[in-house]
Amino acid sequence: MEGEAVSGAQLIAQALKAQNIEYMFGIVGIPVTEIAIAAQAVGIKYVGMRNEQAACYAASAVGYLTGRPGVCLVVSGPGFLHTLGGMANATINCWPLIVIGGSSDRNQETMGAFQEFPQVEAGRLYSKLSVRPSSLEVIPAVIEKAVRTSMYGRPGSCYIDIPGDFVNLQVNKSSVKYMECCLPPPISMAEHSAVSKAASVIVLSKQPLLIIGKGAAYSHAENNIRKLVDLCGLPFLPTPMAKGVVPDNHPNCVAAARSTALQHADVIILLGARLNWILHFGLPPRYQQDVKVIHIDICAEELGNNVRPAATLLGDINAVTEQLLEEFKKRSWKYPSNSEWWRKLRGKIKNNEERSKA
Amino acid sequence: MEGEAVSGAQLIAQALKAQNIEYMFGIVGIPVTEIAIAAQAVGIKYVGMRNEQAACYAASAVGYLTGRPGVCLVVSGPGFLHTLGGMANATINCWPLIVIGGSSDRNQETMGAFQEFPQVEAGRLYSKLSVRPSSLEVIPAVIEKAVRTSMYGRPGSCYIDIPGDFVNLQVNKSSVKYMECCLPPPISMAEHSAVSKAASVIVLSKQPLLIIGKGAAYSHAENNIRKLVDLCGLPFLPTPMAKGVVPDNHPNCVAAARSTALQHADVIILLGARLNWILHFGLPPRYQQDVKVIHIDICAEELGNNVRPAATLLGDINAVTEQLLEEFKKRSWKYPSNSEWWRKLRGKIKNNEERSKA
Amino acid sequence: MEGEAVSGAQLIAQALKAQNIEYMFGIVGIPVTEIAIAAQAVGIKYVGMRNEQAACYAASAVGYLTGRPGVCLVVSGPGFLHTLGGMANATINCWPLIVIGGSSDRNQETMGAFQEFPQVEAGRLYSKLSVRPSSLEVIPAVIEKAVRTSMYGRPGSCYIDIPGDFVNLQVNKSSVKYMECCLPPPISMAEHSAVSKAASVIVLSKQPLLIIGKGAAYSHAENNIRKLVDLCGLPFLPTPMAKGVVPDNHPNCVAAARSTALQHADVIILLGARLNWILHFGLPPRYQQDVKVIHIDICAEELGNNVRPAATLLGDINAVTEQLLEEFKKRSWKYPSNSEWWRKLRGKIKNNEERSKA
Amino acid sequence: MEGEAVSGAQLIAQALKAQNIEYMFGIVGIPVTEIAIAAQAVGIKYVGMRNEQAACYAASAVGYLTGRPGVCLVVSGPGFLHTLGGMANATINCWPLIVIGGSSDRNQETMGAFQEFPQVEAGRLYSKLSVRPSSLEVIPAVIEKAVRTSMYGRPGSCYIDIPGDFVNLQVNKSSVKYMECCLPPPISMAEHSAVSKAASVIVLSKQPLLIIGKGAAYSHAENNIRKLVDLCGLPFLPTPMAKGVVPDNHPNCVAAARSTALQHADVIILLGARLNWILHFGLPPRYQQDVKVIHIDICAEELGNNVRPAATLLGDINAVTEQLLEEFKKRSWKYPSNSEWWRKLRGKIKNNEERSKA
């Protein structure tokens, strides 16, 4: 081969590195061993696991914690199939994740190759993107697209299928379409009228409640949310995955009066949380029949699920929180701390804490 | 039955009406005839067709033209399968569409019922949502979710499966979960820094080009785009589906010099268009190697496809165009009409028109 | 290229010809036009149609009538999707069929190619085999496998995906894996004890009925079935698709007393028919609660559906009919033509015919 | 409720017992705990595991060893997804298996229920049957169909989805459609002419080889195969999964000269084995270019894969082996033990054994 050659394994490793991927979890074997070696060679931290199932859950946790996907590297057939639980979990939980699966050599397809399986197709139901590069030349482009897709919009998992014969195949570097690191995820905000509408509903509320969801944690909205809580004096409740966005020991946290808070709120500001089973679908008897929901989410299709909102704010949780913060600064509104609602919530908190101690 | 009864067919028709659905295209037969009758009874315009394939394309055109999904109503088995092309087309083209398919009676499932087929599953690959209501009581909620999902975010098709035995089954109205019309699609905007970044790139451009895509047409951005074109003096090019957003006879339209415009632009403002085959993927030799793309789209995952953008603006096309308009008003920048670039484009347009005539 | 070159289109045409394919129905366009031309050049009868839907149904009818699949040739995207109804119909009806769909060029995959769609995956639910050859060299092997799979066992449809760039690509003939025509479908017979068991049940029957199904027509069992009917004096009933296997004017045909025959039979010999909706699932009140079914089918998984059989005979319908014929020749048993059951059936036939005339 | 009531969990347990299911492996939790309890109550041996992945592999091993499916019982979402590897493995390896997965309550579907997932659809690619009973009344019928389908024809896995609300729901026993145990798998044989053809090829062979596959083990063909080996004096080779069908210490076993045997055989009798990667696809250079393959399999679609056979014998491995045995008894043919081929094989065996020792 004329010019400098590069192997499939090296292209994969370099492309992941170019996309700032730091961690790879996996189990090596035919045909992916060389990929793990190449990944280590370019400085990716490779963690060998004992079952692909655990490897995939570990990689997805990296994605949630860092906002950049971890990679799970697995062999063909059962190795790949063991990641489907983790892929589904990442996509449903909205965590970025990349799974790279080795598959059969292309020239043995349809003949009964070792662990032959339609892996791209199998990954479809569990991922945002399931794809096989059509040649070595496009590996960097496909990896860029997968990493980008896993992080942009509502995050989730992407599957990249690598035919076994790609791993050691070589290609001239000059023919490869190399890609720079994708840009950080684009941020969007709610339109002004929606922000204004939301604020108008909130200032008229008698028993408001701010629910902080996982999306708030993922978008690193902690500073703005705390400012909003402090500025407006709102009672708040974290969902299980949003624990710590504002600490539970903040005086406005009503986690210890969760049922009461949900059941009697007249206005709920839903910040990056879904009205699913965790929040009892937003429906009576766990909520007021006519509760007004201010629904804030990064995913348009989530808005209005189960309950018709009083206002819908589509955008990045942190960006929209900042919009609300600006709006309330202008309005200089604060929910009174001596309200009947706060008395009720504080009473319930005290009761529950005493009951806990006893 | 105590209380007032309502049939499945009536619930479907009323729920569609409640969601402001105006048009239904279809072919009746077992088990959906009563649905068409009920739809007409509530004032939905029903258009009988001769093949489900055409019915589905017709319904999807209504969605594109009105921004509210048309409905395609079909029988089980082949009737349903004939809509898959239209469903895929709507989803890929980003048009809202609802397909309602009758299916086998539940108590005959797995036994070899008439035209038994796993229709919900079959619809998955072609739609944003493929679902069967689990009871008559939830029909309005499922239809609200389907209509809303078809319109929110990037539009597409949704499939609703109706078991044959649901159609004439009756239920007490008091047990039904009725739903109001879903809110209009939420609008989001780009973050300020992205708008500012984009404007900075544009004002430094020497050979700028505005590409107007289908998304601009769908979001009714025509007034703001024309203002932007006039304010900034930008050459523009419509994609085939964006013809007429700004008329082709506008003096800044360079459609007649398409290849030249694409090939030599140093900055491209991509407004609701994809860098797919229609736009030659944004790649050389049809474009400059270092062309700077300002990518504006409603779908985060679209941003950065094939070319790494100079700026990404995520949001509703009309809203973001307005943001750009405000930004340029502040900057009071206008691309000079006597530039070398305009001379080149005008020369090419003249040449091409003369060649056309000859 | 050294040696003699051959294009993808030629390889496809020659391979189909080598498998004795006679008919191709389709609609040409990018990228499949050259395939149709090459098919005509090798002597395959190409029929141009106006919609892929109809083309696919036409090709599947050829398969049913000749026992050798017709081919449906379509372009990518909608062209392909319009065949899914026909593919499903062929597979569910057990007719051999080959669909060949052009698809996007491989080097544009994931980039937004013209009508890009995961067609192999889309074909899965509707076919016995859905596959893309991995190179030009294996095209004859893949086509042989598809044709063979469509005909062997229970027939059905197979989908072959051809990337657009394969069509005019050339390869050296010496590197191609050419294949001879696959062998005729293998024939299997029921085990002797099952045949004997079935005969023992039949000879003890008081009100026997032979139901002739589509499988009997497909396996060309007409001669043996007529011999069996004549030898044993059995009343028989054809399903709609088995009309003509034994003519309706045969004196033993009880089609004109269908409901009576089904409802009162104590032993039913089910010859290549399914106990699905057409036959009322074999259940009361349309059948006796304790009817004894002799279930004969080419598909093991069909045996025992809905009713627990008195005997299961797995094999080719014609071969098993011949086994039964041999068995009854040995037993020299004939159902008496002067039985109460024949009197009842003949009376009902006469009544129904008189009613028809009136 | 009038009459005697029975719960969903009880119906499932009783139906499995009625189908002679002996073993259940699983992990209990919402909503399937009561199913495990009910299974134990009817005498099914329940084995609690620590991961659904292992539970599913264990249950599939029971199926292979006993010819009757083991059951794997799992909870919704991840619990179910962890079985996909095992389900795929069972289907690809042709082992009977039943997976029963709890799923969300029906009335919470589409609302974001706990671990809501389209499980029936997810199971499709990995199973012969993936199904949810539409009511409690049909549970016994659906379980009978699943157990039967898993064992009949080529065995594989079947998935049964149980909505959470079915488990404790009650129904009047009189409305349930109870089912007897399905009949043993039907046995089919090759047609006489194929047996005769095969024998004619074999008697003319100069370097014959019998390959014994997993299908021979599954069909318990050990006695007939040993008789055939002894009667005809054939060299034989077991595949890895067929070890022990005829013991390796039988004098005709040429396992120690595997490569030589494959490479030089002029006639191969392939008994329930696939010409896949394990057998090097039956192709040169590992085989003679013109090797004659007598292909014997239970699955018609397997016959002719990769190599065009000299004869195809479709049927149960044990039954067809018996047919061959009868044929050779009539022909009284025996391959000479003093042939050049035996000398070559024995020499190679000796060499290899000596090399092993050294």
Side-chain angles (χ1 to χ4, degrees), chain A residues 51 53 57 82 111-112 306, chain D residues 51 53 57 82 111-112 277 306:
Chain A
N51 188 304
Q53 193 183 94
Y57 286 120
H82 294 163
M111 295 174 67
N306 298 330
Chain D
N51 188 305
Q53 192 182 94
Y57 287 119
H82 294 163
M111 295 174 67
W277 68 277
N306 299 329

Side-chain angles (χ1 to χ4, degrees), chain B residues 51-53 57 78 80-82 84-86 88-89 92 108 110-118 121-123 125-126 275-278 281 283 305-306, chain C residues 51-53 57 78 80-82 84-86 88-89 92 108 110-118 121-123 125-126 275-278 281 283 305-306:
Chain B
N51 188 304
E52 294 86 0
Q53 193 182 95
Y57 286 120
F80 163 74
L81 294 172
H82 294 162
L84 295 182
N89 190 61
I92 289 172
Q108 298 183 352
T110 79
M111 295 173 67
F114 174 62
Q115 299 186 340
E116 184 178 344
F117 203 79
E121 182 177 337
L125 197 54
Y126 312 99
L275 284 180
N276 62 11
W277 69 277
I278 293 178
F281 311 109
L283 297 176
N305 271 342
N306 297 330
Chain C
N51 188 304
E52 293 88 358
Q53 194 182 94
Y57 286 120
F80 163 73
L81 294 173
H82 294 163
L84 295 182
N89 190 60
I92 290 173
Q108 299 182 352
T110 79
M111 294 174 68
F114 175 61
Q115 301 188 338
E116 184 178 345
F117 204 77
E121 181 177 338
L125 196 55
Y126 312 99
L275 283 180
N276 62 10
W277 69 278
I278 293 178
F281 311 109
L283 297 176
N305 271 342
N306 298 329

Side-chain angles (χ1 to χ4, degrees), chain C residues 70-306:
Chain C
V71 170
C72 176
L73 178 73
V74 294
V75 300
S76 57
F80 163 73
L81 294 173
H82 294 163
T83 70
L84 295 182
M87 264 206 256
N89 190 60
T91 299
I92 290 173
N93 272 346
C94 316
W95 300 355
L97 168 69
I98 300 289
V99 175
I100 296 181
S103 55
S104 312
D105 287 7
R106 288 170 302 162
N107 66 354
Q108 299 182 352
E109 281 175 5
T110 79
M111 294 174 68
F114 175 61
Q115 301 188 338
E116 184 178 345
F117 204 77
Q119 298 185 175
V120 170
E121 181 177 338
R124 186 78 53 197
L125 196 55
Y126 312 99
S127 62
K128 293 181 73 177
L129 181 74
S130 187
V131 68
R132 169 191 284 192
S134 60
S135 68
L136 262 61
E137 284 82 350
V138 301
I139 283 178
V142 166
I143 286 180
E144 185 272 347
K145 185 176 173 73
V147 170
R148 180 164 44 87
T149 302
S150 79
M151 297 190 302
Y152 277 31
R154 184 181 259 191
S157 61
C158 293
Y159 174 65
I160 304 170
D161 193 64
I162 302 292
D165 58 303
F166 271 20
V167 174
N168 292 318
L169 198 63
Q170 300 219 329
V171 75
N172 195 313
K173 278 188 173 184
S174 64
S175 67
V176 174
K177 193 186 165 198
Y178 285 104
M179 303 291 285
E180 283 179 76
C181 184
C182 64
L183 296 174
I187 302 292
S188 70
M189 310 189 303
E191 59 176 341
H192 300 308
S193 64
V195 175
S196 172
K197 175 80 184 301
S200 299
V201 171
I202 294 167
V203 300
L204 292 174
S205 69
K206 300 213 164 112
Q207 312 199 137
L209 176 67
L210 173 67
I211 298 180
I212 306 172
K214 177 173 48 184
Y218 188 80
S219 80
H220 287 293
E222 54 270 12
N223 290 339
N224 281 322
I225 293 177
R226 180 190 277 252
K227 284 181 196 163
L228 185 68
V229 165
D230 290 340
L231 180 74
C232 297
L234 291 167
F236 75 87
L237 194 65
T239 64
M241 291 286 293
K243 286 277 178 193
V245 169
V246 181
D248 272 14
N249 61 6
H250 187 287
N252 288 28
C253 179
V254 297
R258 185 180 187 274
S259 296
T260 300
L262 296 178
Q263 198 171 359
H264 297 287
D266 66 344
V267 169
I268 285 177
I269 305 153
L270 196 64
L271 210 51
R274 293 188 272 214
L275 283 180
N276 62 10
W277 69 278
I278 293 178
L279 288 175
H280 320 290
F281 311 109
L283 297 176
R286 306 294 296 258
Y287 291 79
Q288 291 296 302
Q289 175 71 48
D290 59 353
V291 60
K292 288 188 174 67
V293 174
I294 311 294
H295 203 162
I296 305 167
D297 208 279
I298 198 176
C299 174
E301 290 83 350
E302 190 62 44
L303 299 170
N305 271 342
N306 298 329

